Amino acid sequence: MMRAGARQYVVARPLYSEESFNEEHEKVYRNRKTMLDHIKQYFRCDAKRAKNAALSLLPVIGWMKIYRIKEWLFSDIVSGISTGLVAVLQGLAYCLLASLPPWYGLFAAFFPVIIYFFLGTSRHISVGPFPVLCLMIGSVVTRLVPDEGPAANITGWEGLTRDEQRVLVASSLTFLIGIMQLAMGILQVGFVVMYLSDTLVSGFTTAAAIHILVSQLKFVLGLQVPGISGPLSLIYTLEIVFNKITSSNVCDIVISLVIMVVVFLVKELNDRFKSKLPVPIPIEVIMTVIACGVSYGFDFKTRYGIDVVGQIPRGYEPPVAPDLRIFQETAMEAFPMAIVGFAVAFSVAKVYSIKHDYTIDGNQELIAFGVSNIFGASFKAFAASTALSRSAVQESTGGKTQIAGLLSAIIVMIVTLAIGYLLEPLPKSVLGAVVIINLKGMLMQFREIPYLWRRDGPDCVVWVVTCFAAILLGLDLGLAVGLGVELICVVLRVQFPRCSVLANIKGTDIYKDRKDYFSIDEPEGVKIFRIPSPIFFANMDFFRNKLVEALGFNPLRVLKKRNKALSRIRKLLKRGDLQWTSKGFLNATNGSIKESEEDSNTEELDHPIDFKDLPARIDWNSGLPANIGVPSVEIHSLVLDFAAVSFLDISALKGLKTLLKELIRVEVEVYIVACDPYILEKLHNCCFFDEEVKPSMFFLTLHDAMLHILEKHPESTGKKTDHDKILTTVTVHHLSSSLRIRDKNGPGPDAETKF
């Protein structure tokens, strides 16, 4: 019932152990499926399942059926044109990161977009080159086809120019990345991206931004710097840049600085007035057009010796098959690229799906990117993901669906087929400046370090280690190191959880860490111990040590001491040195009884204590005869709170049973509360219970166990003047008609709830 004028609830119910609760409340029987049942269901085929499979493989059908032409089409057109212009520029710029001729970036901004239009589940991301992925591809390209020296010894490369060899490496690598992504999608392992936490991705992309920044210095300064890959490549590149810095091209430096300053200022204005601007000002495109015109008018290439984009072939090249020998050389690097490309795209897609209230499918996204990369690689494109800035343009300019992405691909196609030659005089320093200025968002992630340090030290460690490992060792090894550190942090958190001793908050049925509150009550002889993690082979010893520390004694040591004392008492009685009287044991000798060598022999001392051949039961907490010393045990009841224990493995089951037996044998009653039903079922299946460890030790709630203990040991309450020290009546108020009641005979307003 509800007490008037007070936010209180009152419940009158019996005291429940797990056994008594199950006896009183009938459980619903559920026929659980076996692994074979799941396999049969997975491969079952009918009309409805075939239809759902077709819709899931072609998400375009789903959103096309609800497409609002009048409301969405114009927004998609505006967004598609704006995104297409940015995609052209970023395709040219990011291609430099992959160490390929710039126009191949236009292929990467076109072919994958077409496939993603049909297979992708996100309506807002802009598919195409991603700078981090381009840089990782570039490191493989320069490893196999370096700027200086011979290329890798791969047969079939005879007669190919250096650029053709690099394009073949990039397209074959992209094909392999696509195969890996497609395989993961078919095998439904899209969950692997969950192992890349936001902290790890942030540290990794920050390191990638630094790599990108250093790689673009040669274009901004107008220097000839060979591509270097592998550990410490960034240090070696900086060394070469600083050695050649006196040979910098002043014209390139001036152009780059002007581009970066103007683009930065206008981007800041776009951010500040984005609510007032119908579309963001495409300043990169504007400055690129201006730079092309000025470079062509003043003939920068001839007069100042700057490096320009150069001839852009008109049209697309015929399809090419991947080189299987390159697969063997690049398999180790391809897998982290497949993961990074998908992880970044999925993260961005998830943000926009939440914002616009629709769902995305991680496995279908893997299939979409896999097929996109396989298709693009056949036409000499390199791996695609999504660029954050380009996706932001597509979404902020009003894009509603992937029709905007399709239109952006058409813009890229128009440039490739018709007007690409207009970009031939574009200085590469302009592209380098555009790339650098777009790194602002990733470089500003350094500001997360103080926040992480204050909020979560292990996450801060993951961020810093991932970032510096990726900077020094390279992006592929850095990602592996970061993932390893992240998993170690997770394991350590589970292996060394923050265990606590609980106490009752006076006048309530609530139990909290006794270190955190003043108004608490701890009955004498009772300990409540909580472990907030699963118990498994790696943390079983930690759990035991923490419990022993909380109890103040080692049950195994006490058990051995007691058995050793019993053995000595039996021998003294047998020799006549000790006699039993009505007042207890009496020393029959005049002097003190010394322990003999025979008494100290090692025996099986961890067996249950047996009093059957003694004249009386021994009180271990009182004085023992013959100067026998045994550690005292002040605790009669131990409650283990398993509310946060989600699973137990076999090693933990064995260790827990051994621990419980040791405690029971030293006359400590053990109760386990709030245990997960599946753990209880596992305990029964594994024959956990016997004559000593019984199911009756399991209680439904912590308060149930405490009331049972106080009823069994009334002396534990001490001299309490207030009966409400530990609440013995709990109340609950149910809002009448909001309850759902289930009964095997049918629902009814007064029926008993059954689970």
Side-chain angles (χ1 to χ4, degrees), residues 432-453:
V434 169
V435 170
I436 290 174
I437 206 64
N438 278 299
L439 297 176
K440 177 196 169 188
M442 288 194 284
L443 291 173
M444 294 299 286
Q445 291 176 142
F446 271 111
R447 295 184 298 182
E448 294 181 11
I449 295 178
Y451 172 83
L452 290 173
W453 181 252

Side-chain angles (χ1 to χ4, degrees), residues 36-294:
L36 183 61
D37 294 331
H38 286 289
I39 293 174
K40 288 180 179 178
Q41 183 179 5
Y42 184 79
F43 289 102
R44 180 177 55 84
C45 184
D46 53 31
K48 183 178 180 181
R49 187 173 174 83
K51 179 182 177 182
N52 292 336
L55 290 176
S56 65
L57 287 174
L58 291 172
V60 62
I61 299 174
W63 59 260
M64 270 295 191
K65 292 191 297 185
I66 61 171
Y67 192 82
R68 305 172 189 172
I69 296 178
K70 293 182 179 180
E71 299 177 30
W72 292 357
L73 184 58
F74 180 74
S75 298
D76 278 340
I77 292 174
V78 173
S79 174
I81 295 173
S82 303
T83 308
L85 295 174
V86 176
V88 169
L89 180 59
Q90 290 188 351
L92 296 171
Y94 293 159
C95 198
L96 299 179
L97 297 173
S99 300
L100 300 174
W103 61 86
Y104 285 98
L106 299 178
F107 299 171
F110 174 73
F111 290 107
V113 179
I114 303 299
I115 299 299
Y116 190 85
F117 173 81
F118 295 101
L119 301 181
T121 58
S122 174
R123 304 175 193 171
H124 292 87
I125 64 171
S126 175
V127 177
F130 174 54
V132 176
L133 200 56
C134 293
L135 188 66
M136 297 177 77
I137 293 171
S139 66
V140 176
V141 168
T142 54
R143 178 174 65 83
L144 296 181
V145 189
D147 290 325
E148 299 174 355
N153 186 18
I154 298 179
T155 57
W157 281 13
E158 298 81 4
L160 297 179
T161 64
R162 189 187 66 177
D163 284 346
E164 289 173 341
Q165 291 175 349
R166 289 188 166 186
V167 170
L168 183 59
V169 170
S171 61
S172 299
L173 175 61
T174 299
F175 198 96
L176 182 57
I177 291 171
I179 291 174
M180 291 179 175
Q181 290 175 331
L182 179 59
M184 288 190 289
I186 293 173
L187 295 175
Q188 304 285 293
V189 291
F191 63 86
V192 295
V193 73
M194 302 305 173
Y195 290 101
L196 301 180
S197 66
D198 292 342
T199 304
L200 184 144
V201 172
S202 175
F204 176 76
T205 52
T206 303
I210 295 174
H211 276 280
I212 294 169
L213 174 63
V214 172
S215 70
Q216 296 306 293
L217 289 178
K218 63 181 181 181
F219 300 113
V220 171
L221 300 176
L223 300 175
Q224 294 296 322
V225 179
I228 302 173
S229 60
L232 301 180
S233 59
L234 185 137
I235 305 299
Y236 297 141
T237 302
L238 284 175
E239 181 185 7
I240 297 173
V241 168
F242 285 123
N243 287 335
K244 293 185 176 182
I245 200 167
T246 54
S247 305
S248 300
N249 189 308
V250 177
C251 185
D252 275 322
I253 295 175
V254 172
I255 291 173
S256 301
L257 289 175
V258 170
I259 294 292
M260 285 192 282
V261 169
V262 174
V263 171
F264 175 79
L265 291 176
V266 175
K267 277 181 171 290
E268 290 296 311
L269 291 175
N270 281 340
D271 289 340
R272 180 166 295 186
F273 299 105
K274 61 183 177 182
S275 60
K276 299 180 180 179
L277 293 172
V279 294
I281 301 172
I283 187 60
E284 295 103 325
V285 178
I286 294 172
M287 294 304 295
T288 300
V289 172
I290 294 173
C292 272
V294 173

Side-chain angles (χ1 to χ4, degrees), residues 191 425 558 580:
F191 63 86
V558 172
W580 171 256

Side-chain angles (χ1 to χ4, degrees), residues 648 653 675 679-689 698:
L648 294 167
L653 287 179
C675 187
I679 294 180
L680 268 174
E681 183 179 348
K682 184 174 183 179
L683 296 179
H684 283 283
N685 293 338
C686 294
C687 301
F688 183 79
F689 302 106
F698 286 82

Side-chain angles (χ1 to χ4, degrees), residues 28 47 146 177 181 206 222 268 307-308 328 454 508 637 653 709 753:
V28 174
I177 291 171
Q181 290 175 331
T206 303
E268 290 296 311
D307 195 10
V308 297
Q328 300 174 0
R454 291 192 301 267
T508 73
S637 300
L653 287 179
I709 292 170
T753 305

Side-chain angles (χ1 to χ4, degrees), residues 402-634:
Q402 279 300 329
I403 286 180
L406 186 64
L407 291 174
S408 72
I410 292 174
I411 298 294
V412 174
M413 182 183 68
I414 292 172
V415 172
T416 305
L417 297 178
I419 59 175
Y421 68 93
L422 296 177
L423 297 173
E424 291 178 0
L426 178 65
K428 288 185 178 179
S429 56
V430 173
L431 298 178
V434 169
V435 170
I436 290 174
I437 206 64
N438 278 299
L439 297 176
K440 177 196 169 188
M442 288 194 284
L443 291 173
M444 294 299 286
Q445 291 176 142
F446 271 111
R447 295 184 298 182
E448 294 181 11
I449 295 178
Y451 172 83
L452 290 173
W453 181 252
R454 291 192 301 267
R455 300 294 191 276
D456 196 320
D459 268 357
C460 185
V461 171
V462 170
W463 196 103
V464 172
V465 171
T466 302
C467 183
F468 282 96
I471 289 172
L472 297 176
L473 302 179
L475 295 180
D476 47 357
L477 291 177
L479 180 62
V481 170
L483 185 58
V485 172
E486 181 183 53
L487 294 179
I488 289 173
C489 287
V490 172
V491 170
L492 291 179
R493 291 191 197 206
V494 178
Q495 188 171 350
F496 303 106
R498 185 183 178 275
C499 300
S500 56
V501 176
L502 306 183
N504 176 253
I505 304 298
K506 290 184 178 180
T508 73
D509 62 339
I510 298 170
Y511 295 81
K512 294 289 187 180
D513 191 334
R514 67 178 182 179
K515 296 178 181 178
D516 295 338
Y517 294 89
F518 291 107
S519 182
I520 61 173
D521 184 66
E522 294 183 275
E524 294 179 8
V526 182
K527 283 286 184 184
I528 309 171
F529 186 79
R530 180 176 186 270
I531 178 169
S533 80
I535 306 176
F536 59 108
F537 66 94
N539 69 355
M540 184 61 214
D541 287 341
F542 177 81
F543 165 62
R544 180 189 177 93
N545 294 336
K546 283 294 181 180
L547 179 58
V548 168
E549 180 183 328
L551 292 173
F553 65 90
N554 187 328
L556 180 58
R557 179 173 175 270
V558 172
L559 178 60
K560 289 183 176 181
K561 287 281 188 180
R562 289 186 178 183
N563 274 320
K564 190 174 181 180
L566 279 178
S567 176
R568 190 174 176 205
I569 289 172
R570 287 190 181 99
K571 290 175 182 178
L572 292 174
L573 287 170
K574 187 176 180 180
R575 292 204 308 253
D577 294 336
L578 201 63
Q579 294 180 356
W580 171 256
T581 67
S582 59
K583 295 182 179 180
F585 287 105
L586 180 64
N587 190 348
T589 62
N590 295 326
S592 61
I593 303 174
K594 295 183 179 180
E595 183 177 0
S596 64
E597 292 293 332
E598 185 182 354
D599 293 332
S600 301
N601 290 337
T602 304
E603 303 176 17
E604 293 292 336
L605 300 176
D606 56 350
H607 288 175
I609 297 173
D610 186 6
F611 297 103
K612 65 181 181 181
D613 57 347
L614 292 178
R617 189 179 184 88
I618 296 176
D619 182 2
W620 296 107
N621 289 327
S622 63
L624 298 178
N627 299 322
I628 298 174
V630 175
S632 62
V633 176
E634 305 295 336

Side-chain angles (χ1 to χ4, degrees), residues 342-372:
F342 167 66
V344 172
F346 185 75
S347 299
V348 177
K350 188 164 60 174
V351 170
Y352 288 128
S353 69
I354 294 172
K355 181 177 179 180
H356 295 279
D357 192 24
Y358 62 91
T359 59
I360 57 173
D361 183 351
N363 294 312
Q364 179 60 28
E365 286 293 291
L366 272 171
I367 293 173
F369 278 103
V371 177
S372 296

